[in-house]
């Protein structure tokens, strides 16, 4: 199982996270280690040595069939469910790595850095590009987004990823985070929603 993620896919986050504004023609794709997957309500343990760790709420897509070099017009055939996820990011480490021109793997792929909730079938959605999601911490909404605001659509992301990687059943794709990311703290209680469905709930330890 592979975990892919997309950077800079929401304009407001893009404006705050990059200088100058990132204007690439293709999605920025990175991967997370399979050991970073966190699911089933298990707690997320903050690594002491990494300093500040931020939440980044995202819509996550599940791949349902084998595919390579998938045309965008056929991409909808290759996923069957979505959920809310959290792409945890060791922000202090990321800034150090970025300043040195080094890869981000360590700040994005540590254990527990890819939290996902229960899957919602695509058939239960209005449209893959009209999905609202939000994250609550200790009962307060801290981040919210809509897939309709993505710079690159789900289908465009799948087409782009599949040019380089063979997609297999069970692979997942984090599709990018909107603005308003911030640090998590020990004892935070995190819940995630797709539209009005609570799909994710866990604690930070």
């Amino acid at each position: 199982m592979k975990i892919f993620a997309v950077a800079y896919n929401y304009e407001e986050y893009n404006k705050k996270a990059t200088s100058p504004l990132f204007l690439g023609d293709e999605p920025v794709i990175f991967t997370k280690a399979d050991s970073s997957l966190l699911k089933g309500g298990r707690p997320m343990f903050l690594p002491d040595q990494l300093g500040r760790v931020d939440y980044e709420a995202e819509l996550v897509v599940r791949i349902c069939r084998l595919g390579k070099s998938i045309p965008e017009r056929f991409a909808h055939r290759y996923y069957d469910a979505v959920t809310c996820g959290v792409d945890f990011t060791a922000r202090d480490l990321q800034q150090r790595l970025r300043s040195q021109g080094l890869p981000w793997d360590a700040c994005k792929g540590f254990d527990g850095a890819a939290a996902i909730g229960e899957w919602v079938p695509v058939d239960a959605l209005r449209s893959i590009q009209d999905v609202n999601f939000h994250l609550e911490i200790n009962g307060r909404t801290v981040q919210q987004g809509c897939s309709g605001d993505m710079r690159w659509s789900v289908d465009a992301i799948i087409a782009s990823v599949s040019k380089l990687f063979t997609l297999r059943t069970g692979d997942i794709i984090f599709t990018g985070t909107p603005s308003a990311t911030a640090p998590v703290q020990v004892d935070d209680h995190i819940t995630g929603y797709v539209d009005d469905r609570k799909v994710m709930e866990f604690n930070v330890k």
Side-chain angles (χ1 to χ4, degrees):
M1 186 270 290
K2 300 184 292 298
I3 303 172
F4 299 98
V6 181
Y8 312 129
N9 202 22
Y10 285 83
E11 184 176 355
E12 289 305 311
Y13 178 81
N14 193 350
K15 288 177 180 177
K16 295 177 181 179
T18 60
S19 181
L21 184 66
F22 179 79
L23 295 173
D25 294 328
E26 292 282 342
V28 176
I29 306 297
F30 60 94
T31 60
K32 297 167 80 76
D34 59 2
S35 58
S36 70
L37 188 66
L38 181 71
K39 61 181 181 177
R42 298 197 308 271
M44 188 274 191
F45 292 93
L46 283 176
D48 293 335
Q49 71 275 20
L50 290 183
R52 170 178 166 177
V53 174
D54 286 6
Y55 58 80
E56 297 186 8
E58 309 199 10
L59 190 70
V60 183
V61 177
R62 182 176 70 187
I63 299 301
C64 64
R65 61 189 296 187
L66 182 72
K68 172 69 176 174
S69 300
I70 302 165
E72 184 174 342
R73 67 184 183 278
F74 297 136
H76 65 279
R77 301 177 181 176
Y78 289 83
Y79 54 89
D80 64 353
V82 303
T83 192
C84 182
V86 182
D87 169 21
F88 286 108
T89 303
R91 194 67 74 196
D92 293 338
L93 177 59
Q94 184 187 42
Q95 291 172 352
R96 291 199 302 272
L97 294 171
R98 181 185 287 164
S99 68
Q100 299 172 50
L102 297 174
W104 293 6
D105 301 58
C107 71
K108 288 284 194 178
F110 56 91
D111 287 356
I116 60 171
E118 298 173 358
W119 295 105
V120 177
V122 169
D123 292 346
L125 304 173
R126 295 179 300 275
S127 165
I128 193 66
Q129 292 306 142
D130 187 23
V131 180
N132 295 299
F133 60 97
H134 74 275
L135 194 73
E136 294 182 1
I137 296 184
N138 304 325
R140 180 176 65 89
T141 298
V142 294
Q143 199 176 11
Q144 53 192 342
C146 177
S147 59
D149 295 329
M150 292 177 177
R151 184 173 180 199
W152 292 283
S153 69
V154 170
D155 291 355
I157 291 168
I158 288 174
S160 182
V161 171
S162 70
K163 291 177 184 177
L164 300 172
F165 302 91
T166 297
L167 293 176
R168 301 183 187 278
T169 300
D171 290 347
I172 63 176
I173 303 176
F174 284 71
T175 59
T177 192
S179 61
T181 66
V184 290
Q185 309 293 336
V186 171
D187 294 330
D188 278 346
H189 182 70
I190 295 179
T191 51
Y193 294 77
V194 171
D195 289 330
D196 58 353
R197 306 179 189 206
K198 183 165 71 172
V199 296
M200 181 173 62
E201 185 170 14
F202 64 95
N203 295 315
V204 178
K205 299 291 187 180

